[in-house]
Amino acid sequence: MIIVNYNSWEVLRRCLDHLGKQTWRNFQVVVIDNASTHPPPEDFATRYPWISLVQSSINLGFAGGNNRALRALTSCEWIALLNPDAFPEPDWLEQLVETAQAHPDYTMFGSRQVIAGVPHLLDGEGDVYHISGLVWRSGHGRPVSEGAREPREIFSPCAAAALYRADAFLRVGGFDEDFFCYVEDVDLGFRLRLLGYKALLVPSSVVHHVGSATTGGGQSDFALYHGHRNLIWTYVKNMPGVLFWSCLPLHLLLNLVTLAIFAWRGKGPTVFRAKRDALRGFPKMWEKRRLIQRDRVVSTRHIWRALYKGWGRQ
């Protein structure tokens, strides 16, 4: 299991306290600290002797941090990812592992995330990928009672609390470190889908999620910049040829409308910078696209079925 930390020692302690109560005990935990400006609490090592703390000299982001921490894990069949601001129920990992064992035809497994402190509201049940290239967490803000009752297929799991088959994760090279953070989990899920792997929501596997606890919130300049830049890169890299060109007008419209909306909200410069830098990175992403599409094994129709085509939030 991997947890990426950056100046989030207090919420991390709460996360680790919940992990210490897991009913499934056959796991190891690697916490990678992304060059936090604040040191860990003095009692951290003695309070959690069962974790391995890896300290990076630079901030690698969520993507690079997870990839780096993976090298500290001994040989494993599964990789569990957990954000420091996600607090798992005692049977969180047990439900993920048992569902994975019962569904060998799936490779990625997502947890039900509820809003920390508001347990009757969903934070999300997996990620949705729209044909325009927009992404969001399914069910966000809706009552838990309206959520899934049984496991169901999703486009990709939110990496704040997820389980991946290790060999598949390594086959695609893990997260794209150019993303740094935000949307990197959707990009990973898309690349895995192109190779024929599928994702399953496990509604009985529950975490209480704060969300963007270390990045100033989902509407911070940091989150907006990386999220809106990476939306474009995910589309460029992964959308198969026919869908790429047929959905491109909608993708361009999405970006123009996004710019207008955030300009009206006073965030125009941040989102404009994100789109500008996405275009500057286009040649590199197009080269990655060439390799990804070369190795694709599923049909365009298969991907089309996995995309969301409605106009309302799912």
Side-chain angles (χ1 to χ4, degrees):
M1 184 182 306
I2 300 172
I3 303 174
V4 178
N5 175 70
Y6 178 72
N7 285 333
S8 56
W9 299 108
E10 288 306 311
V11 290
L12 175 60
R13 286 170 69 128
R14 183 177 171 188
C15 173
L16 293 175
D17 288 343
H18 280 77
L19 274 180
K21 300 174 183 178
Q22 290 298 296
T23 54
W24 181 275
R25 305 300 306 170
N26 185 23
F27 63 93
Q28 55 179 314
V29 179
V30 174
V31 173
I32 179 162
D33 181 58
N34 259 337
S36 291
T37 56
H38 306 298
E42 292 182 359
D43 66 342
F44 192 80
T46 55
R47 184 169 177 170
Y48 308 108
W50 42 275
I51 73 164
S52 298
L53 179 62
V54 176
Q55 293 186 301
S56 173
S57 59
I58 60 173
N59 190 341
L60 300 167
F62 183 82
N66 275 293
N67 289 351
R68 164 78 183 278
L70 183 57
R71 297 198 290 268
L73 287 172
T74 58
S75 179
C76 56
E77 182 180 359
W78 296 96
I79 300 168
L81 304 183
L82 188 65
N83 275 11
D85 63 351
F87 315 125
E89 294 282 353
D91 63 343
W92 166 71
L93 191 55
E94 180 179 3
Q95 293 294 330
L96 281 177
V97 172
E98 289 186 349
T99 303
Q101 292 173 339
H103 296 83
D105 50 332
Y106 286 86
T107 299
M108 304 169 274
F109 298 86
S111 302
R112 165 174 284 167
Q113 298 172 200
V114 300
I115 299 174
V118 194
H120 65 282
L121 292 181
L122 290 169
D123 182 59
E125 292 190 321
D127 290 326
V128 178
Y129 196 93
H130 191 262
I131 56 173
S132 66
L134 185 64
V135 300
W136 63 85
R137 289 195 302 276
S138 176
H140 178 72
R142 292 181 180 175
V144 170
S145 59
E146 296 181 8
R149 298 181 183 275
E150 299 293 333
R152 63 173 177 83
E153 187 167 342
I154 53 178
F155 185 83
S156 61
C158 174
L163 186 72
Y164 300 85
R165 189 176 295 278
D167 56 357
F169 188 93
L170 293 170
R171 180 182 176 186
V172 297
F175 292 110
D176 185 335
E177 297 184 18
D178 286 328
F179 279 49
F180 197 75
C181 61
Y182 290 103
V183 196
E184 71 288 289
D185 50 356
V186 180
D187 171 71
L188 173 67
F190 208 147
R191 285 184 284 127
L192 285 166
R193 275 197 165 274
L194 292 170
L195 291 177
Y197 299 113
K198 297 185 296 182
L200 194 70
L201 170 71
V202 186
S204 57
S205 173
V206 179
V207 299
H208 299 258
H209 188 220
V210 175
S212 301
T214 65
T215 58
Q219 294 302 307
S220 69
D221 287 348
F222 181 89
L224 287 174
Y225 171 80
H226 287 89
H228 286 277
R229 181 195 65 181
N230 295 345
L231 282 176
I232 295 177
W233 285 354
T234 300
Y235 183 93
V236 170
K237 288 172 58 183
N238 299 300
M239 193 69 89
V242 173
L243 296 180
F244 179 94
W245 296 110
S246 61
C247 296
L248 184 59
L250 191 58
H251 184 63
L252 295 174
L253 178 61
L254 164 70
N255 283 278
L256 291 173
V257 171
T258 297
L259 276 170
I261 290 174
F262 282 97
W264 181 74
R265 295 177 180 174
K267 295 287 188 178
T270 298
V271 177
F272 176 82
R273 185 165 56 90
K275 305 305 182 185
R276 179 202 65 193
D277 290 350
L279 293 176
R280 286 177 174 175
F282 187 89
K284 186 175 184 180
M285 295 303 140
W286 193 262
E287 177 59 21
K288 291 183 180 184
R289 170 188 175 79
R290 187 183 65 80
L291 299 175
I292 291 168
Q293 300 301 324
R294 180 197 65 188
D295 295 336
R296 173 168 64 96
V297 300
V298 299
S299 66
T300 301
R301 180 177 296 180
H302 176 90
I303 296 299
W304 176 251
R305 288 198 297 263
L307 303 177
Y308 183 61
K309 307 162 193 70
W311 292 105
R313 286 293 180 100
Q314 189 180 46

